[in-house]
Amino acid sequence: MIRKEVKDFEPYTVMEGDYRIWLDKNESPFDLPMELKDSIFDDLKNLEFNRYPDIDGRGLKKKLASSLELHKSNIVVGNGSDQLIDCIMDLFMGDHMIIHTPTFGMYSFYAKKRGLNIVEVPLDEEYDLPAIDYDFEGARVIFICSPNTPTGNVLDREKIIDYLETGCPVVLDEAYADFAENSNLDLIDEYSNLIILRTFSKAYGLAALRVGYAVGDESLMRQMSKIISPYNINKISLEITKRMMDEDKLIQENIEFIKKERENMISELSEYAYPSQTNFVMFDLDAYEYLLKKGIVVRKLSGRLTGKIRVTVGNKEENREVMTALNEFVSVLP
Ligand SMILES: *Cc1c(COP(=O)(O)O)cnc(C)c1O
């Protein structure tokens, strides 16, 4: 018999089709330079495809540990940070989890899959964390996404600390931290109930490889590493990710480009744009269908954000096209 949670489950879908410009998934506009790809593919020839990869991605963990100035045992690597979100929900006791909405959809996805109750705490009118005025009793985990998607803002560090002070497990999703001014990674030294999530899918431009990581207290990460699927990251993804960690200059240049373009996009339509510390911008413009007719796909927002769109920062040409279209849209607004 199929479980009720599965029968009732709404699958995750994305826009597909024959469109010209894709600014809906917060991907990097930069693929690797061809010479770099050539050299990577040469190296991949030496991999033994008949042998399993590192059981726990230890080679990558080692590189991450040295770059973050942490210990290997502070890190768990995942098949995308999505797999880590899934895994974290199996880690703690408690009959519900808390999310701060509007936010990333995958927290609810993995909760619904296991029939775990979701308590939605709305972000305040500035999309920042509200003061704690509810009971954490029985909460399995609190998810906080900062910088948040789809709003783009960083959440107040002092408030994050207030949540940590409750002692409840807190997951701080920093998928977009590379585009922000500050990170809260340092808090893991102080709070053993904190797990920080990072990904190579956004700033590193490696969405195809599906690699993310969790950082936290050693004993907590030891528990997590027991239940994450063995061999969860394939050998090719591990090799390429390790290699890209040595391309700091290239990655930093790409991040600087995106931040600059982001600020240009915001100032060009400042009346409608929200501040962002990510690689996307939320606009208070109901322009989804208008853009789609021009072959440009962005994210249409719903619920509390109905009438708004989220636009990924793309390459120069893509950004010029989407901004031209949005300016046209604005010019005929009633
Ligand atoms: C994109 C994204 C992720 C990550 O993804 P993976 O590709 O699974 O590593 C995680 N959290 C947020 C908020 C994201 O936007």
Side-chain angles (χ1 to χ4, degrees):
M1 289 290 281
I2 302 290
R3 286 165 51 228
K4 184 175 181 318
E5 288 83 1
V6 179
K7 274 197 211 146
D8 298 345
F9 201 80
E10 295 217 17
Y12 183 76
T13 56
V14 291
M15 182 68 177
E16 287 170 295
D18 202 11
Y19 298 97
R20 289 181 305 127
I21 296 181
W22 293 90
L23 301 175
D24 62 328
K25 295 187 199 70
N26 298 340
E27 294 154 326
S28 169
F30 302 110
D31 194 0
L32 311 192
M34 205 40 86
E35 319 80 73
L36 184 52
K37 264 193 182 170
D38 280 340
S39 142
I40 287 173
F41 275 77
D42 281 342
D43 289 349
L44 292 181
K45 284 181 195 157
N46 298 319
L47 293 183
E48 296 177 316
F49 283 18
N50 57 322
R51 304 290 177 191
Y52 281 100
D54 281 355
I55 188 164
D56 60 351
R58 70 188 54 144
L60 177 58
K61 281 207 266 194
K62 199 164 156 229
K63 273 196 104 93
L64 281 166
S66 88
S67 113
L68 299 168
E69 297 176 2
L70 290 166
H71 200 263
K72 260 198 350 258
S73 51
N74 292 115
I75 300 166
V76 175
V77 291
N79 196 261
S81 42
D82 284 2
Q83 186 188 32
L84 300 163
I85 295 168
D86 193 29
C87 179
I88 286 165
M89 286 187 200
D90 289 332
L91 196 55
F92 302 105
M93 293 196 292
D95 61 5
H96 67 279
M97 63 137 196
I98 296 168
I99 58 172
H100 293 91
T101 54
T103 192
F104 189 50
M106 283 299 145
Y107 315 136
S108 300
F109 179 97
Y110 290 112
K112 283 179 185 153
K113 184 178 90 162
R114 30 174 80 70
L116 178 63
N117 290 328
I118 302 163
V119 172
E120 289 193 25
V121 176
L123 293 169
D124 68 16
E125 56 291 347
E126 252 128 38
Y127 305 119
D128 205 344
L129 284 173
I132 301 174
D133 69 347
Y134 53 91
D135 197 353
F136 286 93
E137 194 86 40
R140 189 177 293 195
V141 57
I142 302 169
F143 279 90
I144 297 175
C145 185
S146 180
N148 188 41
T149 180
T151 55
N153 57 305
V154 164
L155 307 190
D156 181 50
R157 179 177 164 98
E158 293 311 312
K159 292 259 178 56
I160 293 171
I161 291 173
D162 290 343
Y163 281 74
L164 287 165
E165 288 287 342
T166 66
C168 186
V170 173
V171 175
L172 181 60
D173 188 341
E174 289 200 334
Y176 299 101
D178 297 294
F179 304 105
E181 267 149 44
N182 296 300
S183 148
N184 291 299
L185 199 74
D186 58 298
L187 292 178
I188 66 150
D189 293 334
E190 246 171 292
Y191 294 97
S192 59
N193 55 333
L194 173 62
I195 300 177
I196 292 194
L197 297 181
R198 294 277 185 87
T199 178
F200 285 96
S201 298
K202 307 283 159 63
Y204 271 76
L206 299 178
L209 304 186
R210 311 299 300 123
V211 184
Y213 57 97
V215 181
D217 175 71
E218 227 177 285
S219 63
L220 186 55
M221 292 297 103
R222 196 178 312 120
Q223 299 299 332
M224 192 168 159
S225 62
K226 292 198 304 201
I227 58 164
I228 194 105
S229 306
Y231 310 116
N232 58 338
I233 309 186
N234 72 73
K235 200 177 270 189
I236 293 173
S237 290
L238 283 173
E239 283 311 305
I240 300 175
T241 306
K242 281 189 281 183
R243 175 71 179 267
M244 290 312 291
M245 285 193 70
D246 295 330
E247 297 293 335
D248 223 38
K249 188 164 161 285
L250 174 66
I251 303 297
Q252 276 313 316
E253 278 169 15
N254 292 349
I255 291 170
E256 288 312 312
F257 171 89
I258 289 166
K259 283 159 71 171
K260 214 161 127 211
E261 287 288 297
R262 174 189 75 200
E263 292 311 310
N264 289 341
M265 288 161 74
I266 291 172
S267 62
E268 198 173 329
L269 277 174
S270 59
E271 232 184 294
Y272 304 95
Y274 290 83
S276 170
Q277 295 210 26
T278 64
N279 65 337
F280 59 83
V281 181
M282 182 166 77
F283 291 97
D284 192 8
L285 288 169
D286 199 357
Y288 178 79
E289 277 79 18
Y290 184 85
L291 294 175
L292 204 57
K293 276 200 209 103
K294 295 181 176 289
I296 305 170
V297 186
V298 300
R299 184 60 72 91
K300 181 180 181 148
L301 303 179
S302 59
R304 184 174 158 194
L305 301 176
T306 298
K308 298 178 175 38
I309 53 171
R310 188 192 71 185
V311 181
T312 305
V313 178
N315 66 30
K316 262 249 156 15
E317 294 70 37
E318 292 168 333
N319 300 337
R320 192 177 305 127
E321 276 219 44
V322 75
M323 292 313 290
T324 302
L326 285 177
N327 274 298
E328 284 165 15
F329 180 83
V330 165
S331 72
V332 298
L333 276 180

